[in-house]
Every structure is written in C-alpha cells, then in structure tokens.
Amino acid sequence: MIIVLIGYMGSGKSTIGKELATALNYDFIDLDDYISDKEQITIPYLFKTKGEIYFRKKETEYLQTIIESSDNLVLALGGGTPCYGNNMDVLKRTSQLVSIYLKLSIPLLAERLFLEREERPLISYLNSKEDLIEFIGKHLFERSYYYSKAEFTLKTDDKTKPEILQSLLEYLI
C-alpha cells in the first residue's frame, strides 16, 4: 500500500509521514526532497532559476515514477502537488493507494510558516503575519477543491503528534 499525505505547506506532512512510516515499517519519501535530490538543486533555487512551470512538470513526472515503482510507502506531497496537472486524478485511480488530507487552520499554518518563509519560495516575499494569513486563506480557497478529494481528512488543530499518528493508524488498520 502507498499512503499519500496531502495538505498545505506546514501542515505536518513530512513530520507525521516519517512517524507513520516508522510505525508501519514502511519507507518514507518527501516528494520535495526527492525532486531536490534528482535535480541536484534546492527547491527554492529551482524555482528561482527554472521557474514554477518547470518545477510542476518535474513534480508530476517524479510523482508518477514513485507511484509506479513503490509499495509499502508513506509519501508526503508538496502543498501544491495535488492541484496541478492531473496529479490528484492519478492518485485517485491508483489501486492500493490511500490519500489523506492533514487539515490545519489558517492561523496555525501562519504561525508555523512565518519564521520559515525564507525557505519557501511561494511565501518568501511576505513580510507580515497578516499578509501571510491573507495569502494562505486565498490559497486554501483555491486548493480546497483538490484537497477535499482525499479519501480521508484529519483535522489536526487540537491534536498532538501522537494523537495524529494514532488517528491515522486507526483509519488505516
């Protein structure tokens, strides 16, 4: 089985994904890290030098490669991955694949992302929390259509990491 975690940047996909993979004795892949390794360049630098369109094409290509060649895997997607090309449809059509949306509120996302915005190309230019909250709200509105296609949505606002992991394991097992 392939377990795909989707959600907005900062929602905990990588952090929880690693713990879930360990609990299930599965492999773990963060798609952004995978792309960075394959392209031999950081994601921010990739955006800066080759642009978002190039990145999204590579993202779709590598997603397809991973899905076709993997099993017993937890895969953390980038926040935009489900929203581009036909990525979400590919996930929905793939047998033995479960998609899970980790849903976190806008204020908590902004709190997490504000201090690390320099490392995130889409928000690196935002200089205030208010601007970041507005940006996240707009983005989530646009992306909610795709995120809502996940087979399972887990609201994580009031949950600790162990509680999130437990909820995921209960759903999966």
Side-chain angles (χ1 to χ4, degrees):
M1 175 169 37
I2 299 173
I3 301 161
V4 178
L5 301 179
I6 66 171
Y8 201 71
M9 63 179 131
S11 63
K13 300 176 301 286
S14 295
T15 302
I16 295 301
K18 290 173 189 171
E19 293 187 21
L20 182 59
T22 298
L24 295 170
N25 198 28
Y26 277 22
D27 293 326
F28 173 78
I29 295 176
D30 177 294
L31 183 58
D32 283 348
D33 291 345
Y34 185 90
I35 294 167
S36 187
D37 288 345
K38 293 293 184 186
E39 295 292 308
Q40 296 291 297
I41 191 172
T42 66
I43 298 300
Y45 196 68
L46 184 77
F47 262 73
K48 185 177 180 179
T49 58
K50 297 191 178 184
E52 186 176 3
I53 292 172
Y54 177 86
F55 171 78
R56 295 299 177 191
K57 286 180 181 178
K58 286 298 180 180
E59 181 181 56
T60 296
E61 176 185 316
Y62 291 131
L63 175 63
Q64 190 72 42
T65 299
I66 292 167
I67 288 173
E68 290 173 357
S69 63
S70 300
D71 195 22
N72 297 332
L73 174 70
V74 176
L75 174 61
L77 299 185
T81 308
C83 311
Y84 290 90
N86 64 344
N87 292 341
M88 198 63 198
D89 293 333
V90 168
L91 296 177
K92 297 292 287 176
R93 287 193 311 263
T94 303
S95 63
Q96 300 300 309
L97 184 146
V98 175
S99 57
I100 300 171
Y101 171 26
L102 298 181
K103 186 174 185 176
L104 190 63
S105 69
I106 294 170
L108 288 175
L109 286 168
E111 196 66 38
R112 286 184 184 181
L113 292 170
F114 189 72
L115 295 177
E116 59 183 60
R117 66 191 185 283
E118 294 295 322
E119 302 154 32
R120 302 195 180 255
L122 293 177
I123 61 170
S124 60
Y125 68 95
L126 298 170
N127 294 317
S128 72
K129 275 192 187 169
E130 293 76 23
D131 289 344
L132 181 58
I133 287 170
E134 186 176 324
F135 180 89
I136 293 169
K138 179 181 176 290
H139 242 190
L140 277 177
F141 178 77
E142 294 167 351
R143 293 179 174 189
S144 63
Y145 170 78
Y146 299 96
Y147 291 169
S148 68
K149 289 184 174 187
E151 292 171 47
F152 179 62
T153 297
L154 180 61
K155 294 180 181 179
T156 60
D157 276 26
D158 299 320
K159 290 183 167 59
T160 63
K161 286 181 200 173
E163 289 171 334
I164 294 168
L165 182 60
Q166 185 61 38
S167 295
L168 292 173
L169 290 170
E170 287 172 6
Y171 172 74
L172 293 165
I173 297 175

